[in-house]
Amino acid sequence: MRLILLGPPGAGKGTQAQRLIAKHGIVQLSTGDMLRAAVAAGTPVGLRAKSIMDRGELVPDDVVVAIIAERIDQPDAKRGFVLDGFPRTVPQAEALDDLLAERGLKLDAVIELKVDEGILLKRIEKRVAEMTARGEKVRTDDNPDVLRGRLAAYRTQTAPLAGYYAGKGALKSVDGMTPINEVATAIDRHLAPVGARPGGKSGKPRRRKADTAKAKRAARKGSARRKRPATAAKRAKKRPGQRKNRTRRRLTRAR
Ligand code: ADP
C-alpha cells in the first residue's frame, strides 16, 4: 500500500502514520524526520536545510525529491509506504508521479486531514509541553512564530495539492478535528476498498502480519480445544479404573 498523508503542521499526520505502518506492515517516510536527521548528522543536505527549516520555510524541491527517490528504493519500502510531509509542493507531487511511474508503482490514496488552523497552535503547544515533560529535545521550529510561517507555507504551497490529487481521483478527506481513534476509523473506511482489491496494487499477497498472528492464535486455540477432549478420552481409555474411582470419590463427597 502506498499512501500520502496531507495536512498542515499539527494535523496528526505523524500519529496516523504510526498506526498505518503497524497495521499494513509498511514504512513511514517523513521528509521532516529525514531532514532533521541530516541536520543532526551535519551532512551537506543538513547544513543546507537547517536555517531554512528554522525559519519555517520549505527546503528546495530538488533536495527533498532526491532524499525520497533514494529512500523508496530501499528494501524496507518495497511492501509500501506512507509519505508524511511529502510532497509539499505541486512540483514535488509531479516529481513523485515520475518516480513512481519509472518504477511501475502507483499510489493507492492521498489522505487529507482537514483541521481548523485556529487550534493547531494549541496542539503544537501541547506537543511541546509533552515533549518537555518527557525530557525530549523540542524541535527548534516548534514555536508560535515559526509555526505561523509553517502554516503560511502550507496554505500557499501545499494546500493546492488537495486539488491536484482530487483531479486524479485519489483524494480522500478526513475530519482531523475528531479524536484520534475516530480519525483512524475514517481513514480505514477510505482504505477498505484498497485492502479488498485482490492482491492489492502491489501485486503482493494481502495477508498482513496482524492477520497472520490472529490466524495463528485462532488455530492454536482451536487445536487446543480439539486436543483436550481427545487427550481426556485417551486417558480414560488407558486408565479406566483410576478414572472411575475418581468419579466415585467425587460422588461420595457430594453425598
Ligand atoms: P510539520 O510538522 O510542520 O509538518 P515536518 O516535520 O514535516 O513539519 O517538516 C519540518 C520542516 O522540514 C518543514 O517546515 C520544512 O522546512 C522541511 N520540510 C519537510 N518536508 C519538506 C518537503 N517535502 N519540502 C520542503 N521542505 C520540507
Side-chain angles (χ1 to χ4, degrees), residues 179-197:
I180 291 174
N181 59 336
E182 284 178 32
V183 176
T185 308
I187 293 178
D188 287 349
R189 224 177 289 130
H190 279 305
L191 295 181
V194 177
R197 252 177 253 154

Side-chain angles (χ1 to χ4, degrees), residues 116-180:
D116 176 347
E117 266 197 27
I119 76 152
L120 287 178
L121 199 60
K122 284 203 186 79
R123 276 198 186 178
I124 304 264
E125 276 167 3
K126 195 173 159 223
R127 178 161 90 189
V128 170
E130 283 168 359
M131 287 177 80
T132 312
R134 287 198 298 267
E136 290 169 15
K137 204 166 171 264
V138 174
R139 280 168 49 170
T140 45
D141 60 349
D142 262 354
N143 69 63
D145 283 342
V146 181
L147 181 67
R148 262 176 229 116
R150 281 157 63 196
L151 282 173
Y154 183 82
R155 232 178 287 123
T156 56
Q157 290 167 275
T158 311
L161 287 181
Y164 179 85
Y165 286 115
K168 291 174 175 282
L171 190 75
K172 318 276 179 206
S173 294
V174 163
D175 179 1
M177 302 311 297
T178 58
I180 291 174

